[in-house]
């Protein structure tokens, strides 16, 4: 009898311990390779995290709360003093700076038959698999500026900021929190580098360019010197008397009367 | 003096052979350079936007040099057969000028190929792709050219960015300032498209689910044709010049030995 009580105590301790270590996780990295991005973070839905608190005949909803890590100093409460979930929005908390805001509501994920991630390869099933498996925080670009939007607004997050998330199980009939996970580990959105900082210098000169330049320069030099050599050898090779370039100008006695022809050189 | 005659005839034959080869290579060079200038891969706007399109200038010079080489080789053959000193002098001088131009083309092509690095195209892509607020007409023309070229590149080669889609996430860009990150972590041209040209699954593409986006970079599709062009112009031109060097030296020697 006492043994049973001890086992029960251990079991409930074990359950509590299991609950304490359950936190929202980012979606599987092999599936969602682009995660987190500049303004979004895709989280795995809470599969089998709340099963111990689920009553078979009641309906529940899962709430997702998000806040910036720097808001921990201000407030990290997600319920009021009567265990009612906090109804804060993105605008009210300045995007999570002043405390947690409600980012999403969805049905409790099916623990008994979770989506088969291998079905992602099938074009017809991929939308359903993604919808059932993960939730993308920051997905809705327009809800902040749409006055007709009545649902829970999930606007884009801020780049280069650390966020933390929490799932909460809420009973639909009395809207009271039944269970909650721990705050997730800090998850940081990406930051961007400026493109003007990219170094576009070519680095070292390639070997081919040096070979071409040096060899061609030598060739041109040799050609020009060869040309000069052949021209000068043509000029010199002809004997002096017959060289058109070296022949003295024609002298006529009629131009210079009274003088005889000068002796040839 | 039949031995002398024989050696002269042999030398003439060699020069004629050399000129025939130069003529054929000249036509080949012209054809090759016309092919490159026609830009079959549509990559010229990328070079134009880098303001470093000298490998195209080298190809243009190659077209005219090739034709000049062909014409001059005909002149050279005529001059050698007739042993006409004037013809050969004209041939030598014009060949030297052509040689200088071809040398310029080779060195330009070889030098400017070194500038075509991945970072150059990355920076240009980030600064010009989908740039909406352009400063002037020139900027607008270049940005539109870059945008159109990249869209074609990404769709035809099934690639994204220079190194990969992460380029769009790692760096700020003109694209990022016009298109928000939540809906467009990268351009939709990076998504795997169906037969009608729209993404197969947009959510899968945005999340980076393998099979719904193109994860490889486009740098190979850019650098492959450009390097082939630069190498084709530079090294084929270099080979022609090496051959022409010997033919020219032989012609100068032959010219200097012709009696009036």
């Amino acid at each position: 009898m006492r043994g049973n009580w001890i086992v029960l105590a251990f079991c409930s301790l074990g359950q509590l311990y299991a609950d304490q270590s359950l936190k929202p996780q980012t979606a599987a990295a092999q599936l969602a390779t682009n995660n987190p991005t500049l303004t979004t973070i895709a989280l795995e839905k809470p599969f089998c995290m709340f099963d111990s608190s689920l009553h078979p005949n009641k309906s529940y909803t899962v709430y997702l709360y998000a806040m910036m890590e720097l808001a921990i100093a201000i407030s990290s409460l997600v319920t009021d003093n009567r265990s009612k979930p906090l109804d804060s929005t993105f605008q009210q908390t300045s995007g999570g700076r002043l405390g947690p805001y409600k980012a999403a509501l969805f049905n409790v994920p099916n623990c008994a038959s979770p989506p088969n991630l291998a079905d992602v390869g099938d074009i017809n099933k991929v939308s359903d698999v993604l919808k059932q498996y993960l939730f993308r925080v920051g997905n809705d670009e327009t809800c902040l500026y749409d006055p007709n939007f009545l649902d829970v607004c999930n606007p884009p997050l801020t780049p280069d900021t650390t966020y933390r998330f929490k799932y909460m199980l809420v009973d639909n009939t009395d809207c009271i929190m039944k269970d909650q996970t721990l705050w997730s580990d800090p998850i940081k959105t990406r930051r961007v580098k400026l493109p003007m900082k990219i170094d576009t210098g070519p680095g070292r000169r390639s070997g081919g360019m040096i070979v071409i330049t040096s060899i061609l320069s030598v060739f041109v030099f040799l050609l020009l010197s060869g040309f000069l050599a052949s021209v000068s050898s043509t000029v010199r090779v002809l004997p002096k008397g017959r060289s058109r370039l070296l022949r003295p100008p024609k002298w006529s006695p009629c131009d210079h009367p009274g003088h005889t022809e000068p002796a040839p050189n | 003096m039949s031995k002398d005659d024989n050696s002269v005839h042999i030398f003439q034959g060699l020069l004629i052979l050399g000129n025939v080869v130069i003529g054929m290579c000249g036509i080949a060079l012209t054809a090759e350079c016309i092919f490159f200038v026609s830009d079959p891969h549509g990559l010229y706007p990328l070079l134009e936007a880098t303001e470093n399109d000298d490998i195209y200038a080298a190809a243009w010079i190659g077209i005219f040099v090739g034709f000049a080489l062909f014409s001059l080789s005909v002149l050279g053959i005529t001059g050698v057969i007739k042993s006409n000193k004037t013809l050969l002098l004209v041939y030598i001088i014009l060949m030297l000028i052509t040689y200088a131009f071809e040398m310029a083309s080779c060195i330009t092509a070889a030098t400017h190929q070194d500038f075509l690095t991945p970072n150059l195209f990355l920076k240009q892509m980030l600064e010009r792709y989908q740039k909406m607020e352009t400063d002037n007409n020139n900027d607008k023309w270049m940005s539109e050219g870059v945008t159109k070229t990249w869209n074609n590149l990404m769709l035809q080669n099934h690639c994204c960015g220079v190194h990969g889609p992460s380029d769009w996430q790692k760096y700020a860009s003109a694209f990022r300032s016009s298109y928000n990150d939540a809906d467009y972590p990268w351009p939709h041209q990076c998504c795997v498209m169906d037969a009608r040209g729209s993404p197969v699954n947009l959510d899968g593409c945005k999340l980076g689910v393998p099979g719904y986006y193109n994860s490889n970079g486009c740098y190979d599709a850019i650098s492959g044709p450009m390097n082939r062009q630069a190498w084709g112009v530079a090294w084929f031109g270099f080979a022609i010049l090496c051959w022409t060097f010997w033919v020219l030296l032989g012609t100068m020697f032959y010219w200097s030995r012709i009696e009036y």
Side-chain angles (χ1 to χ4, degrees):
Chain A
M1 205 40 173
R2 197 183 287 178
N4 283 350
W5 278 111
I6 291 173
V7 166
L8 201 60
F10 263 93
C11 274
S12 47
L13 263 177
Q15 292 276 23
L16 268 175
Y17 192 72
D19 286 346
Q20 293 289 338
S21 66
L22 288 172
K23 306 176 186 178
Q25 306 286 342
T26 52
Q30 309 93 294
L31 183 70
T33 53
N34 187 28
N35 188 29
T37 71
L38 285 173
T39 55
T40 66
I41 297 175
L43 294 173
E44 210 176 77
K45 284 192 177 173
F47 285 96
C48 309
M49 285 189 192
F50 297 127
D51 279 359
S52 51
S53 318
L54 288 177
H55 211 266
N57 288 341
K58 289 191 176 181
S59 69
Y60 296 90
T61 308
V62 174
Y63 285 26
L64 169 63
Y65 283 90
M67 73 169 179
M68 289 194 190
E69 198 171 32
L70 49 88
I72 293 175
I74 304 172
S75 159
S76 62
L77 291 173
V78 289
T79 56
D80 57 15
N81 45 16
R82 285 175 297 141
S83 282
K84 270 189 103 67
L86 200 63
D87 198 20
S88 52
T89 65
F90 182 88
Q91 295 97 312
Q92 285 167 355
T93 58
S94 289
R97 278 183 194 85
L98 306 173
Y101 69 94
K102 194 162 49 174
L105 268 72
F106 44 82
N107 295 330
V108 182
N110 193 336
C111 180
S113 57
N116 184 2
L117 293 185
D119 281 343
V120 173
D122 185 345
I123 304 172
N124 301 320
K125 295 187 192 165
V126 63
S127 290
D128 287 329
V129 168
L130 289 176
K131 199 155 178 289
Q132 288 167 25
Y133 172 67
L134 53 79
F135 178 77
R136 199 168 180 237
V137 184
N139 202 27
D140 199 342
E141 181 69 20
T142 53
C143 66
L144 265 186
Y145 310 108
D146 184 357
N148 295 325
F149 191 83
L150 297 170
D151 211 345
V152 176
C153 195
N154 176 24
L157 308 171
T158 320
D160 196 24
T161 317
T162 319
Y163 284 87
R164 303 187 78 158
F165 304 94
K166 181 191 269 267
Y167 285 120
M168 180 195 287
L169 186 73
V170 175
D171 189 331
N172 285 343
T173 43
D174 50 8
C175 290
I176 299 284
M177 178 205 77
K178 284 289 178 280
D179 199 357
Q180 56 179 316
T181 65
L182 296 172
W183 283 103
S184 70
D185 291 331
I187 304 171
K188 195 164 186 186
T189 47
R190 294 183 87 132
R191 56 177 290 206
V192 281
K193 292 191 249 188
L194 289 175
M196 60 177 116
K197 298 226 175 115
I198 299 175
D199 177 22
T200 58
R204 279 188 63 238
R205 289 265 169 257
S206 67
M209 172 252 160
I210 294 177
V211 162
I212 288 181
T213 311
S214 50
I215 292 181
L216 286 182
S217 311
V218 167
F219 277 0
V220 163
F221 170 72
L222 289 175
L223 279 178
L224 285 176
S225 43
F227 181 60
L228 285 174
S230 54
V231 165
S232 63
S233 78
T234 306
V235 165
R236 260 199 306 249
V237 113
L238 297 168
K240 282 186 183 173
R242 288 171 55 192
S243 161
R244 270 183 257 167
L245 298 159
L246 298 177
R247 202 190 304 167
K250 216 155 166 47
W251 200 91
S252 165
C254 302
D255 294 333
H256 301 84
H259 288 97
T260 53
E261 217 181 84
N265 295 355
Chain B
M1 299 286 206
S2 62
K3 194 167 166 234
D4 263 348
D5 268 348
N6 263 351
S7 60
V8 168
H9 281 312
I10 289 172
F11 196 62
Q12 274 183 324
L14 282 176
L15 286 181
I16 290 173
L17 172 71
N19 276 303
V20 165
V21 171
I22 289 177
M24 292 196 299
C25 287
I27 296 182
L29 183 68
T30 301
E32 183 200 23
C33 290
I34 289 178
F35 173 72
F36 285 139
V37 165
S38 71
D39 195 20
H41 296 275
L43 293 173
Y44 180 67
L46 293 186
L47 280 182
E48 190 185 21
T50 63
E51 293 171 355
N52 190 0
D53 57 353
D54 283 339
I55 59 173
Y56 276 83
W60 275 106
I61 295 176
I63 294 177
F64 297 110
V65 162
F67 187 66
L69 283 175
F70 172 69
S71 325
L72 284 176
S73 71
V74 170
L75 178 69
I77 291 172
T78 320
V80 165
I81 290 176
K82 291 190 178 166
S83 290
N84 185 331
K85 240 176 142 103
T86 322
L87 270 183
L88 282 181
L89 183 63
V90 169
Y91 167 82
I92 289 172
I93 292 175
L94 289 181
M95 260 299 202
L96 283 175
I97 296 172
T98 310
Y99 199 95
F101 272 101
E102 180 58 20
M103 178 174 141
S105 164
C106 288
I107 294 180
T108 305
T111 310
H112 284 274
Q113 186 198 0
D114 290 348
F115 284 91
L116 305 178
T117 54
N119 276 352
L120 179 71
F121 294 110
L122 176 65
K123 185 167 179 185
Q124 179 201 75
M125 177 185 83
L126 293 170
E127 288 179 347
R128 289 207 191 268
Y129 180 74
Q130 300 280 13
K131 185 175 180 186
M132 299 297 184
E133 301 99 29
T134 49
D135 303 323
N136 50 42
N137 273 345
N138 192 32
D139 194 16
K140 185 161 175 269
W141 168 262
M142 287 193 197
S143 301
E144 281 172 7
V146 169
T147 304
K148 214 155 66 83
T149 307
W150 269 103
N151 284 341
N152 280 341
L153 258 181
M154 292 197 281
L155 289 173
Q156 280 165 11
N157 296 296
H158 307 295
C159 59
C160 186
V162 172
H163 299 111
S166 54
D167 288 341
W168 297 107
Q169 287 286 307
K170 265 199 268 186
Y171 293 96
S173 54
F175 174 77
R176 180 59 57 226
S177 53
S178 319
Y179 293 85
N180 63 78
D181 171 70
D183 288 331
Y184 294 88
W186 37 62
H188 284 177
Q189 283 85 355
C190 293
C191 302
V192 172
M193 298 289 191
D194 60 16
R196 283 169 308 165
S198 51
V200 169
N201 187 284
L202 201 54
D203 286 324
C205 179
K206 288 195 277 188
L207 281 166
V209 178
Y212 293 91
Y213 76 115
N214 298 317
S215 53
N216 45 314
C218 296
Y219 183 63
D220 285 337
I222 297 173
S223 71
M226 282 190 190
N227 279 344
R228 279 197 290 275
Q229 171 171 339
W231 275 67
V233 171
W235 288 100
F236 186 48
F238 180 68
I240 293 176
L241 289 182
C242 285
W243 179 267
T244 310
F245 171 72
W246 295 110
V247 172
L248 262 181
L249 273 185
T251 313
M252 284 180 206
F253 177 72
Y254 184 78
W255 178 80
S256 64
R257 287 280 168 270
I258 294 177
E259 303 287 337
Y260 269 105

